[in-house]
Every structure is written in structure tokens, then in C-alpha cells.
Amino acid sequence: MGAHNGADQVPAIGAEKTVGGEKGSLKELLHHRHFLIAVIAMFFYNGAQVGTWSYFIQYVQDYTHQPEKLAGYFLSGTLVAFGLGRFSATYLMQFVRPNVLMAPTL
């Protein structure tokens, strides 16, 4: 696996040239091991996320004895915090390499 040092330049839009007008196929894409691993990882990640948030209100009611309405507010707060975290991390990746940015979460 190679490391990205940030020195690479992003090509201009439309700078790519295709040979013979073919842009690739699904069959070719499925031969890339890292792509398949990423798809499987996203499947399980989304499943865990949906499963956790689906049970969140019931969990708050059962273990903290809070009313359903307050549990719903807590759920909304977690969704907002998740979204803010995603956008702020994306912004910070302009200045900090992603592997350094994610290191505290490991």
C-alpha cells in the first residue's frame, strides 16, 4: 500500500482521456480487492449504524428511565453530532492527513 504525501496534483476536470471510448465495466471493478473490501465494510458499517440508532430510543427509556420524547431529542442530538463530525473531519483533511486525523479514534 502506498502512502499519499499531499504533493500530488489533482488533474483538471476533463483532462482524462479514454481509449476507445470505454470507461470500464463492473466486472473490471470487481477484480479490485480493495474495492470489494470497502463495499463489504460499508455494508457492515451501515448495518451497525442503523441497528444502533434504531434501538437508541428504547435503550434510553429502559436504562435511564427518560420519556420517549426526551429520548427522541437525544437521538436527534446524536444525528446532528454525527453530521457535524463528518463535515468537520472532511474540512480538516485539507490540512491534516486522514491517517493522522483518524489516529486518535483507533
Side-chain angles (χ1 to χ4, degrees), residues 83-102:
L84 289 174
R86 279 284 175 102
F87 285 109
S88 62
T90 302
Y91 174 75
L92 289 174
M93 281 193 285
Q94 296 178 37
F95 312 106
V96 181
R97 290 188 323 248
N99 61 330
V100 174
L101 186 63
M102 293 299 293

Side-chain angles (χ1 to χ4, degrees), residues 2-57:
H4 177 68
N5 62 8
D8 298 335
Q9 294 294 322
V10 177
I13 295 176
E16 294 181 8
K17 303 257 187 221
T18 57
V19 178
E22 188 175 333
K23 295 184 179 182
S25 66
L26 179 61
K27 184 177 179 181
E28 291 175 10
L29 184 60
L30 294 177
H31 281 89
H32 293 277
R33 183 173 178 262
H34 288 103
F35 174 77
L36 291 175
I37 291 171
V39 168
I40 292 167
M42 285 304 298
F43 175 79
F44 286 111
Y45 172 78
N46 286 332
Q49 195 173 43
V50 168
T52 301
W53 279 334
S54 296
Y55 187 67
F56 186 81
I57 291 176

Side-chain angles (χ1 to χ4, degrees), residues 51-66:
T52 301
W53 279 334
S54 296
Y55 187 67
F56 186 81
I57 291 176
Q58 188 67 41
Y59 177 84
V60 170
Q61 286 180 307
D62 290 347
Y63 292 99
T64 65
H65 307 293
Q66 299 296 325

